[in-house]
Amino acid sequence: MVVHRKHPIVMNVEEVTERAEPRAFSPHDDMPEEYRKAATRMIQFHANSEIMGAYLERPFIRQAPSLDRKLAFSAKVQDEIGHGQLLYRAAESLGIKTRAEMLDELAAGEGKFLNCFHYPMTEWWETPMIAFFVDGAAMRRQATIKRTSWEPYAHAMDKICFEEGFHIKHGEDIMRELAMGSRREQQLLQEAFEEWWPRILQFFGPTDDRSTHHDFSARVGLKTMSNDELRQAFLNAYLPKAEKYGLEIPDEPRIRKEDGRYIVAEDDLDWEEFWEVASNEYDGSHEQIGSRAATQEAVAWVRNAIDRSEQSQP
Amino acid sequence: MATNQQSDPDELTDRQQAAVETLLFSLADDEFVLAERYTEWQVRAPTLESDLALSNIAQDELGHARLWYDLLTEFDYTESELLFERDPADFTHAALVELPFADGDWADAIVRSYLYDTAEQLRLAALEDAAYTPIADRIGKIRSEEAYHREHAENWLERLCADPDGRANVQAATDRLFPHALALFEPVDAEHEATIREFGLRSESLADLRERWLSITVPLLDSLGVRPPVSADGSPPELPVAYGRGGEHTEQWPVLHAELTRTYRELDRTNTRTITNDPDHAR
């Protein structure tokens, strides 16, 4: 009989690369620090993005123009917080950082998150840009993460993808209502689309030659598709949908189709702004991070009160 | 059980219908506006866990509001008329649920919920055999959810009051909110209130409900070291000048109403979109 024993020594990167496959590794395995750090960076980014996305969408619970929409938006914001909770737990399982440390980093402006959530969103007709396009883009990426090598991350994705499916349907329904609404509603939707479209394309990050972390993450099975492949899949699915709802695709960034593949003119996108956003240095970053930090500071007394009373228990 | 039960809105006398509508508006408006304030806590609560719990509660209250507004649509109101195009002065919720709160004042959320949900429990129990049966039919679902809300609020009260700073914040919230909570036991108007009792919609008078509410909330707060603002003989404080219900609202209410109708107005909407047709089977 073969007795499966916990690996006696820490795996090296070569071994990890060799064994990498979907859901191959869990907290039972002694992973090398390089893997644990890369996985933490990826999951923490994902968790932070859930929180900051919820932060951006919360005002639309109030502004929703019907009771059902209000309920759906409240449920969505709640789901995103729940996703953040699950993902921080998956990140903690790597033993690099605690959830409290990651939330502190987010409040301090050190935690990174998705580019689209650095921009302000103030009007109802902008909401499908996040709730349909950005969530749709995220869904492409998240579906591939079901096959990531860190099992707790893949496991979290099962629940998250299931719920995101409902969010995107709701986002599409809001867009359909606007697209079939008055001439003015259609115009406002088009304006919002033109403003958000370049950011949505940049959602997938730099094309492969500029990506800093891709090689290692791909080698150890954390990432299973490149940024470019994900963007192809997104454009294939979402360009026809945008056209279906009467949206005109902006002339820039130029996109052409060649041999069944979309080619985006990368120089038409503002990469300087993207990197400013990525390093939390954009004006919107300061605004979003700062106001999130302020709300967390305002409730610090509750956490302190609970800590003190728990410590004084016999 | 009331003997003159009625399930068909068309069979009500005008006076009965006016009383049913008055009752439904106060139930629906309380839940709707309370939820609107609760949703401000989403993404802002002290921990991810408390965020999720309060989001759940907010959605329950919105769901309850929808159940009550839905009964009003049987009297030929549209959702637009009920919410988005109604004059804010015509809303009949208690001002307790419309009051704003300071950033981070989690004690406000907890005390508000405790005072409200304790009243809600008593009010719903008294409607269980309502002569207009569509009301009675919806009580069970709502009561089961409200029981969780009360438990949530009581747990948090205990936790906050175990610490001197926490207790001081609970005391401040109690001082501010307690007089407003008394408005939950005020009639919208005396004539409709008389019909509500005679027709057999509510089995107890508002005064009796208020006495029972005081007999629960005052000892509980006392036991946590929080002094409720009642006099030595146990009599409650005066109602605030703007207490909502049949009286004036605070100046914060039209502001909140303007925010929540903003998109509807800016897009010149004339109707609302319903996603689920049957609120009894909604999420």
Side-chain angles (χ1 to χ4, degrees), chain A residues 58 68 123 184 303, chain B residues 42 44 66 262 266 275:
Chain A
R58 184 192 57 82
D68 277 1
E123 306 300 337
R184 183 156 165 270
R303 292 188 294 269
Chain B
Q42 292 196 236
R44 292 171 169 182
R66 185 164 61 175
R262 185 186 141 208
E266 286 193 354
I275 304 171

Side-chain angles (χ1 to χ4, degrees), chain A residues 58 62-63 66-70 74 78 85 99 123 173 177 184-185 292 301 303 308, chain B residues 36 40 42-44 46 49 52 59 66 79 104 163 169 259 262-263 266 269 273 275:
Chain A
R58 184 192 57 82
R62 175 152 300 165
Q63 292 178 39
S66 85
L67 188 51
D68 277 1
R69 290 257 185 262
K70 189 182 289 288
S74 174
Q78 181 187 24
Q85 185 192 36
R99 182 175 96 174
E123 306 300 337
D173 197 47
E177 193 182 11
R184 183 156 165 270
E185 290 190 22
R292 158 95 188 141
W301 71 268
R303 292 188 294 269
R308 276 194 302 268
Chain B
E36 198 61 51
E40 289 177 27
Q42 292 196 236
V43 204
R44 292 171 169 182
E49 287 70 23
L52 293 171
Q59 284 162 60
R66 185 164 61 175
E79 186 181 316
D163 174 76
N169 286 333
E259 285 173 13
R262 185 186 141 208
T263 302
E266 286 193 354
R269 292 271 171 101
R273 183 167 174 85
I275 304 171

